[in-house]
Amino acid sequence: MFVPAVATLGLLGSACGTQELPQNALDPQGPVARQLDNLWDPVFLVAVVVFFLVQGLVLYCLFKFRAKSDEDAPVQVHGNAKLELGWTVAPAMILAFIGFFTVATVFDINRRAEGEEVVQVNVIGHQWWWEYDYTDEGIKTANELHIPAGEPVQIALNAEDVMHNFWPPKLAGKVYAIPGRTNYMQIEADVPGEYAGQCAEYCGLSHANMRLKVIAHERADYDRWVADQKRPAATPAASDANAVAGAGLFGGQCTRCHVIEGVQGGEIEQPAPNLTHLASRTCFAGCMFEMNDSNLRRWLRNPPAEKPMNPDNNQGMPNLGLTEEQITQLIAYLNTLK
Ligand code: CUA
C-alpha cells in the first residue's frame, strides 16, 4: 500500500513541478486573486494540521490497541464528557474562525468598481466561446479580453444558451455566467501580460475547449487597442484579388452567423463571434487554436472535425464544404481584418 501511495503522490507532485503553470490559482497576479489566495493559505494550513492530527491518532490507536490475542480485549468504557465536549467545541471554533474570514472576503470581492474611467465589459458565455461587449466603446470581440493593467475592471456576466463559468485563475475566482441573469465580478491585473483562463462549468461537447485569455496592457496601449478596434473593418485593396474574392465569399457564406461591422448584416445580432478585427487576435475557436494561416485552413476545411461541436443544433460552426481555393481566398480576406 505504501509504494503505490508514494507513487501516486509523486505523480500528483510532478504536475506542480518547475514548468510554467499559466492557470495556477496559487500564483495570484492581481488584488482579487490575491485576496482569495490570502484566504486559501491559512485555511490550507489549518486543514493540514487537522489532517495529520486525525490521521496520526487513527494510526496510533490502530497499532497501540490492536488485539494481540483473543483474550486481550481492551478496557470497555462508555462516554467521556470532557472528550466529547472537546471534539465538538474545537472544530466549531475552527470553523467559526475560518467562516468569519471567508464571509468577509466573499462580501469584499463582490465590490463593484464605479466611475467614468472604469472599464466595463459585458462577458457573454456561448457554446463554446466567450463574447466581450464593451458597450461604452461600441466594441465587440471574442475570446481575448483586453484590459488596462493596474485598474479594476468591472465585468457583467451573462450566458446565451446554458450555464458557463468565467475563470481567469491568476486574476479572480470563478463566477457563473447564467442565462437570464446578470452576475458581476471585478478583475484586475497588477502588471501587463497574458493571463490564461477557461470555462469552469460543464457546458456540453466542447466545454474543455472553451478557453479564454485576458490581455492586460499599459493604459496608453489599451487606449490604442480601443481606438484600433473602433475603426471600421478594413476593405481589401482592389489589387489583392484573393482578398477581394474572399470578401465576396464571406458575404455569401459567413454573414449568416458572423458579423463584420460595416459589412452587410453588421447591425444584426448574430450567434457567432464578431470578426471585425479578427486578424488582431492571437487565438480563435474559443482560444483553442493560435491564429495563423495553417490553423485557419485546417479549421475552414471542416470545423467540427477540429473541435467537437453540434452545428445541426446551432452549437458551433458547420462544415461549409469549401474548396482549397475558396479557403485561400477567405484567409486572404480574414488577414486584412486587422
Ligand atoms: Cu462553457 Cu464550460
Side-chain angles (χ1 to χ4, degrees), residues 133-325:
D133 180 0
Y134 296 70
T135 327
D136 297 343
E137 311 285 1
I139 297 172
K140 278 186 186 167
T141 180
N143 301 320
E144 271 178 26
L145 178 65
H146 290 255
I147 61 170
E151 297 177 28
V153 171
Q154 187 59 49
I155 286 177
L157 268 173
N158 282 287
E160 182 63 31
D161 31 46
V162 298
M163 274 169 70
H164 303 273
N165 191 309
F166 191 78
W167 190 35
K170 291 193 179 186
L171 302 182
K174 302 168 179 172
V175 179
Y176 277 108
I178 302 172
R181 182 196 154 100
T182 304
N183 280 343
Y184 296 93
M185 72 188 290
Q186 201 185 98
I187 62 169
E188 180 175 342
D190 295 330
V191 293
E194 272 192 34
Y195 305 92
Q198 66 182 76
C199 178
E201 172 68 18
Y202 181 71
C203 55
L205 272 182
S206 260
H207 158 67
N209 303 315
M210 193 167 163
R211 313 184 63 82
L212 62 101
K213 228 185 238 186
V214 179
I215 301 183
H217 305 269
E218 298 286 4
R219 183 71 203 204
D221 293 335
Y222 172 76
D223 290 339
R224 206 166 305 134
W225 177 82
V226 168
D228 282 345
Q229 298 290 312
K230 283 167 120 168
R231 284 181 304 130
T235 313
S239 57
D240 189 346
N242 273 341
V244 171
L249 266 175
F250 192 95
Q253 294 264 18
C254 314
T255 46
R256 267 176 288 160
C257 298
H258 289 283
V259 167
I260 291 182
E261 292 330 310
V263 176
Q264 66 266 56
E267 59 293 334
I268 306 167
E269 278 293 317
Q270 292 285 35
N274 184 308
L275 302 183
T276 308
H277 295 284
L278 179 73
S280 73
R281 300 180 201 156
T282 61
C283 63
F284 69 97
C287 246
M288 194 182 171
F289 302 110
E290 200 187 316
M291 184 76 71
N292 59 44
D293 288 3
S294 67
N295 284 345
L296 280 173
R297 180 171 294 276
R298 275 172 47 207
W299 176 257
L300 288 171
R301 275 179 188 147
N302 189 359
E306 299 298 320
K307 174 180 178 179
M309 295 188 291
N310 192 2
D312 295 339
N313 202 19
N314 287 326
Q315 296 166 343
M317 183 166 164
N319 183 359
L320 300 174
L322 301 164
T323 65
E324 288 299 306
E325 193 194 1

